Amino acid sequence: MIILNKQQILDKFDADAITLLLKQGFIAFSQKQVQMPPVQHLLFEQANGDCCIKSGYLQGDSQFVVKVSGGFYDNPAQGLASNQGLMMAFSAQTGEPQALLLDEGWLTALRTALAGRIVAELCAPKHISAVGIIGTGMQARLHLMYLKSVIPCRQLWVWGRSETALEEYRQYAQAEGFEVNVTLDAAVLGRHCQFIVTTTPSREAILQAADIQPGTHITAVGADGAGKHELTPELVAKADKILVDSRGQCTEFGEISSAFQQQLLTNHTLTEIGIALAQNTSFRDNEQQITLADLTGLGIQDVQIVKGILK
Amino acid sequence: MIILNKQQILDKFDADAITLLLKQGFIAFSQKQVQMPPVQHLLFEQANGDCCIKSGYLQGDSQFVVKVSGGFYDNPAQGLASNQGLMMAFSAQTGEPQALLLDEGWLTALRTALAGRIVAELCAPKHISAVGIIGTGMQARLHLMYLKSVIPCRQLWVWGRSETALEEYRQYAQAEGFEVNVTLDAAVLGRHCQFIVTTTPSREAILQAADIQPGTHITAVGADGAGKHELTPELVAKADKILVDSRGQCTEFGEISSAFQQQLLTNHTLTEIGIALAQNTSFRDNEQQITLADLTGLGIQDVQIVKGILK
């Protein structure tokens, strides 16, 4: 069995090659060529942590993938990363373990950020006067890094709960070439930005319907389990078009799940990313629409990123 | 992270200590003290294989466990074991991986056999003139090995599909101290045996209702996924008392699931092993009853056996 540590994995990471694999994966998923059992969730209240276990198999592949991915939000106080976890590849011919990727949660963060870039290609409005990032953690950084290649705007607003974290993020984003404004008031961010990414594990809404202007796109990344959400159901319902990674997962526990379960989306079509990619045109119909993408994270993304690392 | 190979794991294996942990685990599960998400199943038709992914956390523990367990039934032709897989322990405080147990499926096989021994203590009739084993594989061997300490009978009938496999099993069981009869006709086994264990991944019934005498106990181990079964629904319905490891799992995909879904069990109580253990008396009320135990395998068993190995 191959065992790779984080550095060995990052050395093999090719963002563009893996983005192509991720697109193929989303399409295969929407075409029902992927076995992807329902996600397992564990909750560790005493540690302010959670864990999800995802697995997937693309029909015809020589391997299948299992991923264990934890978020332990008190870790940074101990000098540990919030994101934890590993990915494994097994032979689809014999079941033998083939590779253990001790990625410390990086591959999950990276494939999520790359999914965000794919969404940006599908949904970003033409004219963006500022990009908005809700959150200051790992995903907030990676997402921004990969957005750079598809969004030319370098004006940035960042929202966070901690001034210290905002200041650290400011330095990061400035080094990435952005002019950075920080705020503790998400409504201010909403008023300035036409491309917004929400990246927190919040269990209460951060953005309200009134905060968002026509022509805005929002990518909601944080909600990947029951109870997590960053947008009010009214804001979700205000979106003109909604993109989801998985209709099943998003309506069950994604950002849109509350609005869906409250019957606020009965007039909306929920389009899977794989369907939108197969159509090969912009998801956005005009510059006035509010578009929303809900990313819960799919086992097929783990399958594809592991394939990209081990190729 | 600790990495243990099969031999290192087996060196640390203490059957009696782990049996005690398993009993505590079954009880905790039935008392709702265990987080155990629904099992993930993957199917590899081209390889005659399947895989299940189980995870579990006993409230208050310092670790949680994830298990990947494959059955690839063409492996023996290549000189590989059918059972494959590994178990992992993660910190419930930080999410960090703590231990990787490369057990090649052995811990799953062992905790299943030990669960069978726990069931035998609860259900075995007083007078057993012969033990019957359906199947000739790993589980058929381990199960017999551990039954020895709770069932004094040393008369054995074994059913299999291959005369070669039956002959190999005969030699194994003779070395374990049994007088062995082999048969290709399960009905013959049913007529001679009052304690029967079914251990195959069969997708068609092997034992019929007419094959079983009053006063018999059957432990059904093989069915752990949709479509697998070894008993006809009529035989399941003929049982006077039914023990299940998990009411949810057994009615969804266990041996009893067909009978349950066909509404043949409306007059039966499905008693969880953890409930029966907490009552601390024999599950069998008299020597005429047919008792049936359906073991689908619980994530809490994996939690407990990993705890036993790492203690």
Side-chain angles (χ1 to χ4, degrees):
Chain A
M1 187 177 63
I2 301 166
I3 300 182
L4 299 178
N5 65 25
K6 186 178 97 178
Q7 192 53 53
Q8 291 168 319
I9 292 164
L10 295 180
D11 289 346
K12 291 170 183 284
F13 182 77
D14 175 339
D16 290 336
I18 286 171
T19 298
L20 191 61
L21 285 167
L22 289 175
K23 288 181 181 176
Q24 292 167 350
F26 281 123
I27 293 171
F29 169 73
S30 290
Q31 292 178 348
K32 319 283 187 213
Q33 294 163 11
V34 176
Q35 289 185 49
M36 223 181 72
V39 181
Q40 296 183 343
H41 295 279
L42 294 167
L43 196 60
F44 306 96
E45 287 181 4
Q46 85 293 348
N48 191 20
D50 54 54
C51 177
C52 71
I53 299 150
K54 292 178 178 170
S55 59
Y57 176 58
L58 176 52
Q59 299 296 342
D61 273 4
S62 62
Q63 64 187 22
F64 63 97
V65 168
V66 178
K67 190 262 292 278
V68 180
S69 171
F72 284 73
Y73 307 104
D74 295 341
N75 277 5
Q78 307 175 52
L80 291 171
S82 296
N83 288 334
Q84 295 287 336
L86 49 78
M87 297 198 187
M88 288 167 290
F90 296 83
S91 166
Q93 283 301 318
T94 66
E96 292 170 291
Q98 293 183 325
L100 173 65
L101 283 65
L102 295 167
D103 68 309
E104 302 176 24
W106 274 85
L107 289 177
T108 300
L110 287 164
R111 59 84 159 153
T112 303
L114 291 177
R117 182 165 79 169
I118 292 169
V119 164
E121 288 179 333
L122 289 168
C123 299
K126 285 201 180 70
H127 304 291
I128 300 175
S129 57
V131 172
I133 301 282
I134 299 284
T136 56
M138 173 63 60
Q139 188 54 225
R141 287 164 203 237
L142 289 176
H143 223 97
L144 188 71
M145 189 171 95
Y146 288 112
L147 280 180
K148 279 170 63 182
S149 64
V150 293
I151 292 183
C153 172
R154 291 294 176 268
Q155 290 292 324
L156 184 69
W157 281 83
V158 185
W159 173 93
R161 288 197 169 91
S162 145
E163 294 197 6
T164 314
L166 281 170
E167 197 46 47
E168 288 171 3
Y169 192 91
R170 179 204 294 276
Q171 290 173 24
Y172 167 80
Q174 281 175 343
E176 288 286 331
F178 286 85
E179 287 186 31
V180 185
N181 307 279
V182 302
T183 179
L184 299 168
D185 181 354
V188 171
L189 180 148
R191 279 201 297 277
H192 285 91
C193 301
Q194 297 81 39
F195 191 96
I196 298 173
V197 185
T198 68
T199 68
T200 78
S202 183
R203 291 179 176 271
E204 51 192 39
I206 297 166
L207 281 170
Q208 319 286 324
D211 301 337
I212 301 302
Q213 317 166 68
T216 300
H217 169 76
I218 304 173
T219 301
V221 178
D224 60 358
K228 290 188 188 174
H229 68 128
E230 302 176 88
L231 314 178
T232 60
E234 293 71 26
L235 171 49
V236 171
K238 188 176 171 181
D240 296 292
K241 296 193 76 172
I242 298 178
L243 200 60
V244 293
D245 53 9
S246 154
R247 201 179 187 287
Q249 287 189 190
C250 291
T251 56
E252 190 189 338
F253 58 76
E255 184 63 55
I256 66 163
S257 60
S258 289
F260 180 83
Q261 287 158 20
Q262 291 171 37
Q263 315 268 336
L264 301 179
L265 303 183
T266 47
N267 294 324
H268 288 73
T269 301
L270 304 176
T271 305
E272 286 187 343
I273 293 173
I275 301 291
L277 285 170
Q279 289 168 347
N280 205 22
T281 59
S282 170
F283 182 62
R284 171 178 291 280
D285 300 317
N286 62 58
E287 295 304 309
Q288 292 308 304
Q289 284 178 330
I290 293 174
T291 54
L292 168 64
D294 185 2
L295 300 181
T296 51
L298 303 186
I300 185 64
Q301 292 173 260
D302 303 319
V303 169
Q304 297 298 80
I305 199 166
V306 168
K307 198 184 293 178
I309 297 294
L310 297 179
K311 74 175 178 303
Chain B
M1 187 176 65
I2 301 166
I3 300 182
L4 298 178
N5 66 25
K6 186 178 99 179
Q7 192 54 52
Q8 291 168 317
I9 292 165
L10 295 180
D11 289 346
K12 291 170 183 284
F13 182 78
D14 176 338
D16 290 336
I18 286 171
T19 298
L20 191 60
L21 285 167
L22 289 175
K23 287 181 182 177
Q24 291 166 350
F26 281 122
I27 292 171
F29 169 74
S30 290
Q31 292 178 347
K32 318 284 187 213
Q33 295 163 11
V34 177
Q35 289 186 49
M36 221 181 73
V39 181
Q40 295 183 343
H41 295 278
L42 293 166
L43 196 61
F44 307 96
E45 286 181 4
Q46 84 292 350
N48 191 21
D50 55 54
C51 178
C52 70
I53 299 149
K54 292 178 179 172
S55 59
Y57 176 58
L58 177 52
Q59 299 296 341
D61 274 6
S62 62
Q63 63 186 21
F64 64 96
V65 168
V66 178
K67 191 263 293 278
V68 181
S69 171
F72 283 74
Y73 307 103
D74 296 340
N75 277 5
Q78 306 174 53
L80 291 171
S82 296
N83 289 335
Q84 294 286 336
L86 50 78
M87 296 198 186
M88 288 167 290
F90 296 83
S91 165
Q93 283 301 318
T94 66
E96 292 170 292
Q98 294 183 325
L100 173 65
L101 282 65
L102 295 168
D103 67 308
E104 301 175 25
W106 274 84
L107 289 178
T108 300
L110 286 164
R111 58 84 158 154
T112 303
L114 292 179
R117 182 166 80 169
I118 292 170
V119 164
E121 288 178 333
L122 289 167
C123 299
K126 285 200 181 71
H127 303 292
I128 299 175
S129 57
V131 171
I133 302 282
I134 299 285
T136 55
M138 174 62 60
Q139 188 55 226
R141 287 164 203 237
L142 289 177
H143 223 98
L144 188 71
M145 190 170 94
Y146 288 112
L147 279 181
K148 279 170 61 182
S149 63
V150 292
I151 293 185
C153 171
R154 291 294 176 268
Q155 290 291 324
L156 184 69
W157 281 83
V158 186
W159 173 92
R161 288 198 169 90
S162 145
E163 294 197 6
T164 313
L166 281 170
E167 197 47 48
E168 288 171 3
Y169 192 91
R170 179 204 294 277
Q171 290 173 25
Y172 166 80
Q174 280 174 343
E176 289 285 332
F178 287 85
E179 287 186 32
V180 185
N181 307 279
V182 302
T183 178
L184 298 168
D185 182 354
V188 171
L189 180 148
R191 278 201 298 278
H192 284 92
C193 300
Q194 296 82 39
F195 192 97
I196 298 173
V197 185
T198 69
T199 69
T200 78
S202 182
R203 292 179 175 272
E204 51 192 38
I206 297 166
L207 281 171
Q208 318 286 324
D211 301 337
I212 301 302
Q213 317 167 67
T216 299
H217 170 77
I218 304 173
T219 300
V221 178
D224 59 0
K228 291 187 186 175
H229 67 129
E230 303 176 88
L231 314 179
T232 61
E234 293 71 26
L235 170 49
V236 171
K238 188 177 172 182
D240 295 291
K241 296 193 78 171
I242 297 178
L243 200 61
V244 293
D245 51 11
S246 154
R247 200 178 187 287
Q249 287 189 190
C250 291
T251 55
E252 189 190 339
F253 58 76
E255 183 63 55
I256 66 163
S257 59
S258 290
F260 180 83
Q261 288 158 20
Q262 292 171 35
Q263 314 269 336
L264 301 179
L265 303 183
T266 48
N267 294 325
H268 287 73
T269 302
L270 304 176
T271 305
E272 287 186 344
I273 293 173
I275 301 290
L277 284 171
Q279 290 168 346
N280 204 19
T281 59
S282 169
F283 182 62
R284 170 178 290 281
D285 301 317
N286 62 57
E287 295 304 309
Q288 292 307 304
Q289 284 178 330
I290 293 174
T291 54
L292 168 63
D294 186 2
L295 299 181
T296 51
L298 304 186
I300 186 63
Q301 293 173 260
D302 304 318
V303 168
Q304 297 297 80
I305 199 166
V306 167
K307 198 183 294 179
I309 297 295
L310 297 179
K311 74 171 180 304

